[in-house]
Amino acid sequence: MDDINALGLIRTEKEKYTIFTDKLKSGEDLLLYNKDVQSTTERSVRLCTNIQKYINAIQDEIQSLNDIIKSFTIHLGEKMKQLVESGYFEETNTKIFKSEENGKNVVTSVLQFIGIKPSMMSGDTKAKQDARKRYDVEQARLMLEYEKIANQQHNLQKLLNQTEDVLAKAKTDITVTNSDVNSIASALRTWSDSLENAKERKKRKAKEEAEKRKREEDRKKREKEREETERRRKEEEERKRKEAEEQKRREEEERKRKEEEERKRKEEEERKRIEEEERKRIEEEERKRKEEERKRREEEEERKRKEEGDRKRKEEEERRKEEEEKKRKEEEERQKREAELKRKEKEREEAEQKRKEEEERKRKEEERKRKEEEERKLKEEEERKRKEEMRRKDPNNWPVYKYYRGSDQGYHNGLCCVVTVVEGNHGFTKEDLSCLSSDRPDDLKRCSENREEIVVASVVKIIPRDGFQFVLDVPMRIFVPYMSIDNDKEIKLKISIDGSKWTYPEKITPTANLNEINVPLVGSSLVKFNMVEIAVVSRPKRESFTIKNNVRNAAEIRPSNNENLIMRIPEGTFKRDICAHLKVDNALASRVSSEPDFNHIRIATPLFGVEFDEYTQNDVTLHIQPNYIKKTEFSESLHGRAIHQCANKLVTDMAVDDVIDKLQSKSVLTEQIINKIQSRASNEAKARELLELFKTASESGFKALVESLSAAKQGHLAQILQKTLTDLEESELGSDFEDVKSSKLQLVSSNDSKEWTIIKFRSSSNLPNNTTVSIPSNQRNFDLIGFVVPKGISDEEICRVANEIYQRIYQVPVRLIVKQHMERTSDLYIRCVEKSKSGDAQKEMANQGYKDGPEEMMELGLCDTEEVIFNANGNIKYVSGATQMSFFLNIDTAQPCVQIDVVNKKAQFSSRTYQGNLAYNVGDTPQSPPRSGSFLIHIPKEAQRYAPLTLDVPVKAAAKYLAWQLTKRGSPDKHDLYMKLCMDARKVKVLKNRANREGNTERKCCEAFIMSWASQRPKQENKVTTILESLMELDEDSLAKETDSFLMPFMNGFLSDKSIKELSAKLEPKWELLARKLGFDDEDIKAFNMDFDNDRMRALHMLDRWRLEDSTIELATDITATLLEAIV
């Protein structure tokens, strides 16, 4: 370092570090300034090092100067001592005299240290005068010498003072400048100059000049040497720098490779962890199911045991009562017998007296009885005929005709339907009717008229035989079997006569004569038809109201579970007595509030639905009190509502793990709750689980959440929450009602299960919270929902939301399973079953040989009769089978078998399998996951002719070239070459057998032999050299040289790995044109496009494949020329 001002530069570096420290304290990321920090640190270290060297040099020079001054002071003291001892320091006066010889005034300063004795100045002889003159000149010279010494002493003192000042500055950390050092150097030169006379100075200067010239020559020589050394050093540094850069580049590539491997390893570990968690979850569900099944069996056994005990106890009590009753009767009988004996004794005494009277009375009585008997027999005959007729018409006594499906047994042991007909009904026989059952999706879909209806039976079709005429005095009864349903559901029977619309007849309970049929049955009665279809569906239970005498009287219906609805039916709406079936879903609001997709709306009314047995003839009026105006209707607190309104933003942006840590430190969350949150798979799911805990948050809970967000450096979310709460509090000041400026009430309806539409309503002036809706005439089914929505939302969006909510109410959680046959991997078996039945479905599929294929099962929600459409893409395509299936909860028809095939068998050649996606979507309209998705399908490739080898390209090229040349020339004998390579006849035999299995021609067998031999050689061996040496040992020098020349481009030439990589980087967009010139067809090019995602990789693998093609090998030494010609 040349300038001491580097201390100022150090202060500049200190200021930079102060700025970096301030940025770090403010929360900014110091890594963003990594480059500035690194350069500043390096510069600071360099400056500090130079400053330390400079300070060490100054200290050394000052120490040397102090040593010189001390030495000079010692010598000066000794000289002064000698002068004092010689007597020159006596006190005298100063005299001025003039020399007559030279005419010059000599001023002699008689100082304290110059003593001229008076005796030496007395006398005036010539000798004395001459002596005095000489003495005076000598004294003047001495005086000048002493003045010179005094000046030297003064200059020395000045040098010492300046040196001490500079040392004091250095010790007190004051900056020592060049001017301070120059002043010391000037004082030193002044003192040094005062020590010598002009002659000495001249001599010294001449000497210094000579030394300076010498030094200059030496300096130039050293400068030249230094420049040469510097040049060599720079060249060496440049070489080392390049080596370091190359080493750094290699290290960076190695680091990136290791990072990529680490990333892949972590992804694989994560995938395995997720699969393991899924497996554990499925095992846990299976364990719970088995545990519940075991508990249910134990409870059932306990219940049966209790019932058996109760039965035995009752039998014992009855037996005991019977014995007591028997004893009581025996006692009573005994008493009666005694009384009877007494009575008979008395009667015998009276009998004789009354005998005559009795005989007369008996005669009259017998006459009367005879007449009564005749009348009784007449009445009994009439009663017998009446009972016989009643018995004949009693359905419990009717003959039962069972109809079965035939070859397709299906459900209920193949039972199709049951028909009962009154006895003697004009010769009716079982063959007079033809009954068919259908589980075809198209037929089943016709049964379900809306999303709440679930098909629980096959569609039964009954047709009379040709020419049969129904003449029945009593309607026949037809019963169809159906699946068991839950207690909260009800059965709905539908009948279509002669292709008409579905009607809903009154259901008939099965009679006693059908008890032997151990399946649920539901039926109806019919008189005459040409064709009838019967369907059975289940739906949530409805409250039924009978509307009587509506021709003259209006009716009013009030549901028992909701007082906010009144339905008024004007007179004349129905021509006969009918039933209205009403549903009120009060839980709709709570279900919708938990759905994040519907955060922008609020449910104002329950889901109202009404179904009439007949179509209405007049408009029906609904009076509704929507639950939306009073804010006291909200179940959440203000804080909970604020969190609910910000839920979407929180779920998207919140760093859940950091917030959980902060909440845990505040003791807001327990360990159990934290484990529950952490068990969720995604960050969004964790956020939703956390926000669910704050749904009814108090002020303290809300405050803890806001503080935790701020502490986790998510202050923007905390500000959004606080602002939302403030807005809610301000909106409630001064009024108990909703701000109608920002929201509105909308009612939507669906008639006869069609699309949802906006419906008009009116409010009462005296009761603004009451709403009146008019249902148009000619309706049979009607559903209605009320929403509170933002004013800016469109009617189409409201109707879309209503349809989406209505669908989700009745969706069933199902699993979509896709499996491949173990032997026929192109055969796919697809099942769509309830989530709880997925394990059994997989077992059934496995029993049929479908065990392979995707392990994952897609979980989604489906309504009954919804359709799932499949599409094959990627490198697979459909060959045969259904591309869509319909889901039915109770009838498992959603299990199509399809056959797929590979689109392009030349594609994906680097993979062990062909791959493609089996995509699915619910319905024709594109859906979002999970109602759409895909399965990855793998089709194993046929066995390859050669297993993948880890050999380099020159060995493969040598094997192909020699196989071509040996089979073409016929010399040397291949067996001789095999023996030279293997040196073992037994090994040659083994390798030849393997080669014969792998190759189908003589050339391919030879190639396979050399490749098999090479695969068994040590990795470090140069196999090409071994092959060439073997050829030369067989005296085939020309073939060895040709082979060596042929392999040159593959080893270090135009066809080496390095060269084709460089060439592919330059080709990129033109690779397809080159591929066609080199002989690749359209299928090959499509395969390259499918396998690789950029042109560079496609070009690289195209060249790699071309250089080892048989046609390329046959070009021999013209390979490079052919490639260059194709490129040009």
PDB file of all heavy atoms in Angstrom, residues 59-81:
ATOM      1  N   GLN A  59       6.764   1.983  12.522  1.00  0.00           N
ATOM      2  CA  GLN A  59       7.318   1.714  13.849  1.00  0.00           C
ATOM      3  C   GLN A  59       8.784   1.300  13.761  1.00  0.00           C
ATOM      4  O   GLN A  59       9.601   1.702  14.593  1.00  0.00           O
ATOM      5  CB  GLN A  59       6.480   0.623  14.525  1.00  0.00           C
ATOM      6  CG  GLN A  59       5.093   1.102  14.941  1.00  0.00           C
ATOM      7  CD  GLN A  59       4.250   0.000  15.545  1.00  0.00           C
ATOM      8  OE1 GLN A  59       4.620  -1.171  15.450  1.00  0.00           O
ATOM      9  NE2 GLN A  59       3.131   0.373  16.152  1.00  0.00           N
ATOM     10  N   ASP A  60       9.098   0.480  12.735  1.00  0.00           N
ATOM     11  CA  ASP A  60      10.516   0.089  12.574  1.00  0.00           C
ATOM     12  C   ASP A  60      11.416   1.287  12.281  1.00  0.00           C
ATOM     13  O   ASP A  60      12.510   1.432  12.841  1.00  0.00           O
ATOM     14  CB  ASP A  60      10.632  -0.946  11.447  1.00  0.00           C
ATOM     15  CG  ASP A  60       9.961  -2.249  11.794  1.00  0.00           C
ATOM     16  OD1 ASP A  60       9.714  -2.481  12.995  1.00  0.00           O
ATOM     17  OD2 ASP A  60       9.658  -3.036  10.854  1.00  0.00           O
ATOM     18  N   GLU A  61      10.991   2.207  11.382  1.00  0.00           N
ATOM     19  CA  GLU A  61      11.779   3.399  11.035  1.00  0.00           C
ATOM     20  C   GLU A  61      11.941   4.318  12.239  1.00  0.00           C
ATOM     21  O   GLU A  61      13.006   4.886  12.478  1.00  0.00           O
ATOM     22  CB  GLU A  61      11.123   4.134   9.877  1.00  0.00           C
ATOM     23  CG  GLU A  61      11.158   3.386   8.543  1.00  0.00           C
ATOM     24  CD  GLU A  61      12.570   3.168   8.058  1.00  0.00           C
ATOM     25  OE1 GLU A  61      13.456   4.003   8.341  1.00  0.00           O
ATOM     26  OE2 GLU A  61      12.801   2.125   7.413  1.00  0.00           O
ATOM     27  N   ILE A  62      10.849   4.504  12.980  1.00  0.00           N
ATOM     28  CA  ILE A  62      10.930   5.395  14.167  1.00  0.00           C
ATOM     29  C   ILE A  62      11.893   4.819  15.191  1.00  0.00           C
ATOM     30  O   ILE A  62      12.688   5.541  15.813  1.00  0.00           O
ATOM     31  CB  ILE A  62       9.522   5.578  14.757  1.00  0.00           C
ATOM     32  CG1 ILE A  62       8.670   6.432  13.802  1.00  0.00           C
ATOM     33  CG2 ILE A  62       9.582   6.250  16.132  1.00  0.00           C
ATOM     34  CD1 ILE A  62       7.217   6.554  14.223  1.00  0.00           C
ATOM     35  N   GLN A  63      11.826   3.478  15.377  1.00  0.00           N
ATOM     36  CA  GLN A  63      12.747   2.840  16.325  1.00  0.00           C
ATOM     37  C   GLN A  63      14.189   3.012  15.870  1.00  0.00           C
ATOM     38  O   GLN A  63      15.085   3.304  16.684  1.00  0.00           O
ATOM     39  CB  GLN A  63      12.387   1.355  16.430  1.00  0.00           C
ATOM     40  CG  GLN A  63      13.211   0.605  17.454  1.00  0.00           C
ATOM     41  CD  GLN A  63      12.976   1.119  18.865  1.00  0.00           C
ATOM     42  OE1 GLN A  63      11.858   1.466  19.210  1.00  0.00           O
ATOM     43  NE2 GLN A  63      14.049   1.221  19.668  1.00  0.00           N
ATOM     44  N   SER A  64      14.418   2.871  14.546  1.00  0.00           N
ATOM     45  CA  SER A  64      15.787   3.074  14.020  1.00  0.00           C
ATOM     46  C   SER A  64      16.243   4.510  14.237  1.00  0.00           C
ATOM     47  O   SER A  64      17.389   4.766  14.606  1.00  0.00           O
ATOM     48  CB  SER A  64      15.796   2.701  12.543  1.00  0.00           C
ATOM     49  OG  SER A  64      17.057   2.966  11.985  1.00  0.00           O
ATOM     50  N   LEU A  65      15.340   5.499  14.003  1.00  0.00           N
ATOM     51  CA  LEU A  65      15.676   6.918  14.206  1.00  0.00           C
ATOM     52  C   LEU A  65      16.006   7.191  15.668  1.00  0.00           C
ATOM     53  O   LEU A  65      16.962   7.914  15.981  1.00  0.00           O
ATOM     54  CB  LEU A  65      14.497   7.784  13.746  1.00  0.00           C
ATOM     55  CG  LEU A  65      14.682   9.309  13.882  1.00  0.00           C
ATOM     56  CD1 LEU A  65      15.876   9.794  13.043  1.00  0.00           C
ATOM     57  CD2 LEU A  65      13.409  10.019  13.436  1.00  0.00           C
ATOM     58  N   ASN A  66      15.232   6.615  16.574  1.00  0.00           N
ATOM     59  CA  ASN A  66      15.525   6.811  18.008  1.00  0.00           C
ATOM     60  C   ASN A  66      16.898   6.265  18.357  1.00  0.00           C
ATOM     61  O   ASN A  66      17.657   6.879  19.142  1.00  0.00           O
ATOM     62  CB  ASN A  66      14.458   6.099  18.839  1.00  0.00           C
ATOM     63  CG  ASN A  66      13.163   6.896  18.896  1.00  0.00           C
ATOM     64  OD1 ASN A  66      13.184   8.124  18.778  1.00  0.00           O
ATOM     65  ND2 ASN A  66      12.047   6.202  19.062  1.00  0.00           N
ATOM     66  N   ASP A  67      17.239   5.103  17.783  1.00  0.00           N
ATOM     67  CA  ASP A  67      18.563   4.531  18.054  1.00  0.00           C
ATOM     68  C   ASP A  67      19.675   5.453  17.552  1.00  0.00           C
ATOM     69  O   ASP A  67      20.696   5.671  18.239  1.00  0.00           O
ATOM     70  CB  ASP A  67      18.677   3.162  17.388  1.00  0.00           C
ATOM     71  CG  ASP A  67      17.736   2.148  18.009  1.00  0.00           C
ATOM     72  OD1 ASP A  67      17.271   2.375  19.146  1.00  0.00           O
ATOM     73  OD2 ASP A  67      17.430   1.116  17.341  1.00  0.00           O
ATOM     74  N   ILE A  68      19.505   6.031  16.338  1.00  0.00           N
ATOM     75  CA  ILE A  68      20.528   6.961  15.785  1.00  0.00           C
ATOM     76  C   ILE A  68      20.660   8.189  16.662  1.00  0.00           C
ATOM     77  O   ILE A  68      21.768   8.667  16.959  1.00  0.00           O
ATOM     78  CB  ILE A  68      20.159   7.334  14.352  1.00  0.00           C
ATOM     79  CG1 ILE A  68      20.248   6.093  13.454  1.00  0.00           C
ATOM     80  CG2 ILE A  68      21.053   8.440  13.829  1.00  0.00           C
ATOM     81  CD1 ILE A  68      19.723   6.331  12.044  1.00  0.00           C
ATOM     82  N   ILE A  69      19.503   8.766  17.080  1.00  0.00           N
ATOM     83  CA  ILE A  69      19.524   9.977  17.915  1.00  0.00           C
ATOM     84  C   ILE A  69      20.225   9.711  19.235  1.00  0.00           C
ATOM     85  O   ILE A  69      21.036  10.515  19.726  1.00  0.00           O
ATOM     86  CB  ILE A  69      18.090  10.485  18.136  1.00  0.00           C
ATOM     87  CG1 ILE A  69      17.529  10.992  16.806  1.00  0.00           C
ATOM     88  CG2 ILE A  69      18.049  11.587  19.186  1.00  0.00           C
ATOM     89  CD1 ILE A  69      16.049  11.353  16.868  1.00  0.00           C
ATOM     90  N   LYS A  70      19.917   8.512  19.835  1.00  0.00           N
ATOM     91  CA  LYS A  70      20.570   8.178  21.097  1.00  0.00           C
ATOM     92  C   LYS A  70      22.087   8.080  20.907  1.00  0.00           C
ATOM     93  O   LYS A  70      22.877   8.586  21.722  1.00  0.00           O
ATOM     94  CB  LYS A  70      20.007   6.857  21.614  1.00  0.00           C
ATOM     95  CG  LYS A  70      18.604   6.967  22.163  1.00  0.00           C
ATOM     96  CD  LYS A  70      18.115   5.605  22.651  1.00  0.00           C
ATOM     97  CE  LYS A  70      16.687   5.693  23.155  1.00  0.00           C
ATOM     98  NZ  LYS A  70      16.191   4.364  23.589  1.00  0.00           N
ATOM     99  N   SER A  71      22.516   7.441  19.822  1.00  0.00           N
ATOM    100  CA  SER A  71      23.959   7.301  19.551  1.00  0.00           C
ATOM    101  C   SER A  71      24.620   8.663  19.342  1.00  0.00           C
ATOM    102  O   SER A  71      25.691   8.944  19.877  1.00  0.00           O
ATOM    103  CB  SER A  71      24.153   6.409  18.327  1.00  0.00           C
ATOM    104  OG  SER A  71      25.517   6.304  18.006  1.00  0.00           O
ATOM    105  N   PHE A  72      23.913   9.531  18.551  1.00  0.00           N
ATOM    106  CA  PHE A  72      24.463  10.878  18.306  1.00  0.00           C
ATOM    107  C   PHE A  72      24.567  11.672  19.606  1.00  0.00           C
ATOM    108  O   PHE A  72      25.556  12.379  19.870  1.00  0.00           O
ATOM    109  CB  PHE A  72      23.595  11.611  17.299  1.00  0.00           C
ATOM    110  CG  PHE A  72      23.972  13.072  17.139  1.00  0.00           C
ATOM    111  CD1 PHE A  72      25.119  13.451  16.442  1.00  0.00           C
ATOM    112  CD2 PHE A  72      23.202  14.055  17.736  1.00  0.00           C
ATOM    113  CE1 PHE A  72      25.438  14.790  16.326  1.00  0.00           C
ATOM    114  CE2 PHE A  72      23.519  15.373  17.607  1.00  0.00           C
ATOM    115  CZ  PHE A  72      24.638  15.759  16.893  1.00  0.00           C
ATOM    116  N   THR A  73      23.564  11.577  20.434  1.00  0.00           N
ATOM    117  CA  THR A  73      23.563  12.327  21.691  1.00  0.00           C
ATOM    118  C   THR A  73      24.735  11.890  22.572  1.00  0.00           C
ATOM    119  O   THR A  73      25.393  12.725  23.231  1.00  0.00           O
ATOM    120  CB  THR A  73      22.221  12.101  22.416  1.00  0.00           C
ATOM    121  OG1 THR A  73      21.149  12.475  21.562  1.00  0.00           O
ATOM    122  CG2 THR A  73      22.150  12.924  23.691  1.00  0.00           C
ATOM    123  N   ILE A  74      24.999  10.609  22.590  1.00  0.00           N
ATOM    124  CA  ILE A  74      26.118  10.104  23.397  1.00  0.00           C
ATOM    125  C   ILE A  74      27.446  10.669  22.881  1.00  0.00           C
ATOM    126  O   ILE A  74      28.279  11.180  23.653  1.00  0.00           O
ATOM    127  CB  ILE A  74      26.140   8.567  23.372  1.00  0.00           C
ATOM    128  CG1 ILE A  74      24.912   8.015  24.123  1.00  0.00           C
ATOM    129  CG2 ILE A  74      27.434   8.029  23.983  1.00  0.00           C
ATOM    130  CD1 ILE A  74      24.715   6.536  23.969  1.00  0.00           C
ATOM    131  N   HIS A  75      27.666  10.612  21.549  1.00  0.00           N
ATOM    132  CA  HIS A  75      28.912  11.152  20.969  1.00  0.00           C
ATOM    133  C   HIS A  75      29.017  12.654  21.169  1.00  0.00           C
ATOM    134  O   HIS A  75      30.103  13.192  21.439  1.00  0.00           O
ATOM    135  CB  HIS A  75      28.989  10.799  19.474  1.00  0.00           C
ATOM    136  CG  HIS A  75      29.242   9.348  19.218  1.00  0.00           C
ATOM    137  ND1 HIS A  75      28.250   8.409  19.182  1.00  0.00           N
ATOM    138  CD2 HIS A  75      30.409   8.660  18.984  1.00  0.00           C
ATOM    139  CE1 HIS A  75      28.760   7.229  18.942  1.00  0.00           C
ATOM    140  NE2 HIS A  75      30.104   7.347  18.815  1.00  0.00           N
ATOM    141  N   LEU A  76      27.917  13.376  21.055  1.00  0.00           N
ATOM    142  CA  LEU A  76      27.925  14.827  21.239  1.00  0.00           C
ATOM    143  C   LEU A  76      28.287  15.177  22.681  1.00  0.00           C
ATOM    144  O   LEU A  76      29.056  16.114  22.954  1.00  0.00           O
ATOM    145  CB  LEU A  76      26.553  15.397  20.865  1.00  0.00           C
ATOM    146  CG  LEU A  76      26.407  16.913  21.018  1.00  0.00           C
ATOM    147  CD1 LEU A  76      27.389  17.653  20.078  1.00  0.00           C
ATOM    148  CD2 LEU A  76      24.969  17.329  20.696  1.00  0.00           C
ATOM    149  N   GLY A  77      27.736  14.402  23.604  1.00  0.00           N
ATOM    150  CA  GLY A  77      28.081  14.649  25.029  1.00  0.00           C
ATOM    151  C   GLY A  77      29.559  14.452  25.281  1.00  0.00           C
ATOM    152  O   GLY A  77      30.173  15.220  26.038  1.00  0.00           O
ATOM    153  N   GLU A  78      30.112  13.376  24.689  1.00  0.00           N
ATOM    154  CA  GLU A  78      31.551  13.158  24.888  1.00  0.00           C
ATOM    155  C   GLU A  78      32.374  14.311  24.308  1.00  0.00           C
ATOM    156  O   GLU A  78      33.370  14.753  24.906  1.00  0.00           O
ATOM    157  CB  GLU A  78      31.936  11.832  24.229  1.00  0.00           C
ATOM    158  CG  GLU A  78      31.359  10.620  24.933  1.00  0.00           C
ATOM    159  CD  GLU A  78      31.672   9.345  24.209  1.00  0.00           C
ATOM    160  OE1 GLU A  78      32.222   9.440  23.088  1.00  0.00           O
ATOM    161  OE2 GLU A  78      31.359   8.231  24.726  1.00  0.00           O
ATOM    162  N   LYS A  79      31.984  14.838  23.147  1.00  0.00           N
ATOM    163  CA  LYS A  79      32.713  15.961  22.517  1.00  0.00           C
ATOM    164  C   LYS A  79      32.613  17.209  23.367  1.00  0.00           C
ATOM    165  O   LYS A  79      33.619  17.930  23.562  1.00  0.00           O
ATOM    166  CB  LYS A  79      32.123  16.220  21.120  1.00  0.00           C
ATOM    167  CG  LYS A  79      32.867  17.268  20.322  1.00  0.00           C
ATOM    168  CD  LYS A  79      34.271  16.824  19.958  1.00  0.00           C
ATOM    169  CE  LYS A  79      34.984  17.833  19.064  1.00  0.00           C
ATOM    170  NZ  LYS A  79      36.391  17.427  18.785  1.00  0.00           N
ATOM    171  N   MET A  80      31.469  17.505  23.879  1.00  0.00           N
ATOM    172  CA  MET A  80      31.277  18.695  24.716  1.00  0.00           C
ATOM    173  C   MET A  80      32.105  18.571  25.979  1.00  0.00           C
ATOM    174  O   MET A  80      32.654  19.575  26.494  1.00  0.00           O
ATOM    175  CB  MET A  80      29.799  18.851  25.061  1.00  0.00           C
ATOM    176  CG  MET A  80      28.900  19.075  23.841  1.00  0.00           C
ATOM    177  SD  MET A  80      29.291  20.614  22.967  1.00  0.00           S
ATOM    178  CE  MET A  80      28.687  21.788  24.143  1.00  0.00           C
ATOM    179  N   LYS A  81      32.185  17.337  26.506  1.00  0.00           N
ATOM    180  CA  LYS A  81      33.011  17.132  27.707  1.00  0.00           C
ATOM    181  C   LYS A  81      34.469  17.454  27.419  1.00  0.00           C
ATOM    182  O   LYS A  81      35.174  18.086  28.229  1.00  0.00           O
ATOM    183  CB  LYS A  81      32.839  15.691  28.167  1.00  0.00           C
ATOM    184  CG  LYS A  81      33.611  15.372  29.434  1.00  0.00           C
ATOM    185  CD  LYS A  81      33.354  13.921  29.840  1.00  0.00           C
ATOM    186  CE  LYS A  81      34.138  13.598  31.122  1.00  0.00           C
ATOM    187  NZ  LYS A  81      33.946  12.180  31.529  1.00  0.00           N
TER     188      LYS A  81
END
